[in-house]
Amino acid sequence: MTKKQAIFNWSGGKDSALSLYKILHSEEYQVDCLLTSINEQFRRISMHGVREELLIQQAESIGIPLVKMYLPEMPTMEAYENVMRSTLLDLQSKGATASIFGDIFLEDLRQYRENKLAELDLKGVFPLWKISTKDIIKEFLDLGFKTITTCVNDKYLDKSFVGRIIDESFLNDLPENVDPCGENGEFHTFVFDGPIFKEAIPFEKGEIVYRKYTPTKQKDDASYDCDDSTQENPFDNGFWYCDLLNK
């Protein structure tokens, strides 16, 4: 059976890594590229805060071409959609028929993605959809993946949770209201080792910083980070970031 060509939406984090692992072991899709949105001002993965250099190392170790989609720090929804549409049209012209995501249970986010993809006659694929997040994180760790938190939302977690390796100890320390996969935007991660990599990604921890975003327009104008659409208002809280440095 000929595999269908697909785009993989790669964030560099754990849900992306497990989704990619599952897709690479399926017979249905051939992943043509990893597509990642990057803050063009700071050259970091959107929301995750990971340096572009480490993202490049991930892609090289995985062995799949990387397509970088640069966005302004606070893109309007219109700006985001225009860049995404242009990028997807280009990839579609090269044969892509599907776009793969690591989403787990956010219905509104899936619906948004599918509606936008339908406009381009692309199919949305969600390998982790509706799987228990407890089962997902267990499978992720059992497979030998290793990941570190790079960003935590202070609405849910304090500074002590950023820059930590996710293991049983980390999961046991999570408050009851926090999803073990951070699916509600509680935390974001960087995967540095596991079965999809030829070799581990070397890094060292840098400084930990706190950042609070201030909107330049009203929320109705969509002047906020489109990748964090799970929050009603992304400006009523801040984020702790742990910088990761090339080693």
Side-chain angles (χ1 to χ4, degrees):
M1 181 180 72
T2 302
K3 293 185 178 183
K4 302 169 189 174
Q5 291 178 247
I7 303 155
F8 192 94
N9 294 271
W10 177 258
S11 71
K14 57 184 174 33
D15 301 336
S16 279
L18 184 58
S19 293
L20 181 58
Y21 173 85
K22 289 180 177 293
I23 287 294
L24 293 177
H25 284 77
S26 76
E27 294 300 319
E28 190 170 0
Y29 294 100
Q30 167 191 310
V31 178
D32 291 338
C33 68
L34 305 178
L35 175 61
T36 306
S37 61
I38 296 174
N39 180 312
E40 66 181 353
Q41 180 180 355
F42 297 104
R43 300 294 194 186
R44 294 174 183 263
I45 299 175
S46 299
M47 287 310 299
H48 292 234
V50 174
R51 292 171 181 263
E52 185 176 5
E53 308 93 272
L54 290 174
L55 166 66
I56 292 170
Q57 289 185 48
Q58 278 185 325
E60 290 176 346
S61 185
I62 292 169
I64 296 176
L66 176 65
V67 174
K68 295 175 279 188
M69 190 175 72
Y70 293 102
L71 295 167
E73 182 177 9
M74 301 288 281
T76 63
M77 187 64 78
E78 181 181 10
Y80 171 81
E81 290 179 350
N82 285 342
V83 174
M84 178 62 82
R85 182 182 180 87
S86 175
T87 303
L88 291 178
L89 282 171
D90 179 61
L91 295 172
Q92 185 183 44
S93 72
K94 297 172 182 175
T97 61
S99 190
I100 305 169
F101 301 88
D103 301 318
I104 303 171
F105 60 67
L106 298 175
E107 298 279 0
D108 57 342
L109 183 55
R110 174 169 178 164
Q111 189 63 56
Y112 169 77
R113 298 199 197 283
E114 290 183 325
N115 288 344
K116 290 300 175 183
L117 290 172
E119 294 175 5
L120 305 177
D121 198 27
L122 288 169
K123 179 184 179 182
V125 179
F126 303 83
L128 303 183
W129 191 248
K130 293 299 185 181
I131 300 176
S132 161
T133 49
K134 289 183 179 179
D135 291 342
I136 286 173
I137 196 63
K138 182 179 186 305
E139 180 180 8
F140 177 85
L141 295 175
D142 287 348
L143 285 169
F145 280 108
K146 296 179 182 178
T147 193
I148 184 171
T149 57
T150 57
C151 170
V152 302
N153 186 331
D154 76 351
K155 184 177 180 179
Y156 303 99
L157 297 169
D158 61 40
K159 180 181 179 181
S160 68
F161 283 91
V162 74
R164 283 184 62 177
I165 301 294
I166 292 186
D167 54 15
E168 287 298 328
S169 175
F170 175 89
L171 296 173
N172 289 336
D173 288 344
L174 288 177
E176 288 186 7
N177 66 322
V178 172
D179 182 80
C181 284
E183 180 70 349
N184 296 303
E186 297 99 328
F187 59 89
H188 300 289
T189 61
F190 173 75
V191 178
F192 58 91
D193 200 3
I196 60 174
F197 297 107
K198 297 183 183 74
E199 56 188 13
I201 313 302
F203 70 92
E204 58 186 12
K205 289 196 287 186
E207 65 177 336
I208 292 176
V209 298
Y210 180 78
R211 192 168 186 196
K212 192 159 188 173
Y213 297 90
T214 303
T216 54
K217 299 182 180 180
Q218 295 299 313
K219 183 180 179 246
D220 290 343
D221 292 327
S223 183
Y224 55 94
D225 193 315
C226 316
D227 284 346
D228 197 22
S229 58
T230 61
Q231 295 188 48
E232 293 182 5
N233 183 348
F235 305 114
D236 63 356
N237 55 275
F239 299 86
W240 288 104
Y241 288 94
C242 178
D243 193 15
L244 303 183
L245 308 173
N246 288 333
K247 190 172 180 180

